[in-house]
Amino acid sequence: MHYITEPMAIEERSMEIIAPYLAELNLTHEEVKVFSRIIHAAGDPEYSKVIEIHKDAIRAGCAALEAGCNIFCDVEMVRTGINKRRLADNGGTVHCLISDEKVASTAKELGITRSMVAMRTFGERLHGSIVAIGNAPTALFEVLNLMKETTIRPALIIGVPVGFVGASESKDFLAETSPVPYITVRGNKGGSPIAAAITNALLYMHKR
């Protein structure tokens, strides 16, 4: 059996296979890159039907990355999947507090999720950053609430929590109320690999 073993060739062939699914969607060149990386990460062309990119999202995300912004994640799986070397090229770092002992104890005391406490703890640091949420709908709700109650404004929210309890609703709320650009996938789909894939798509396209 013959199969491709060279990493770049595998990726290039994957993108060739994905391209026909996007051909009739009237996407910009940059949007194609985001859609393609999402579909590649999920192995699921059906994502093309549920991805939603705010009109200013790619511009805002790339500008923030070029300016050296930090990225704040809800879970370690998102943080692990992001290309930190590429992010560091312009001075940015990626952060996650889900395993922080103080965050865990506060969450237990308040009876809320650790991801909510993590976003509250990041607080003002979220301003001008990229927020990447791939797992916890409560983290996305918390960021939206922070924006409602304060002047905190991330440069971009990548909100793709996955699941059946609150995930779809949190993403609908993001699209309906966010005062800042966002990238999301409607419905129950999403997850940490998708959040990381979107982030990396922006990292690979922004000017260095």
Side-chain angles (χ1 to χ4, degrees), residues 79-90:
R79 188 191 69 80
T80 300
I82 292 171
N83 188 328
K84 288 169 283 294
R85 181 179 300 177
R86 187 81 173 214
L87 178 62
D89 285 345
N90 284 329

Side-chain angles (χ1 to χ4, degrees), residues 45-63:
E46 290 297 306
Y47 266 86
S48 64
K49 301 175 183 178
V50 294
I51 299 167
E52 184 171 325
I53 301 177
H54 183 278
K55 62 182 180 64
D56 297 322
I58 294 176
R59 177 197 57 76
C62 288

Side-chain angles (χ1 to χ4, degrees), residues 58-75:
I58 294 176
R59 177 197 57 76
C62 288
L65 290 169
E66 193 165 351
C69 79
N70 292 328
I71 299 174
F72 296 91
C73 309
D74 62 330
V75 292

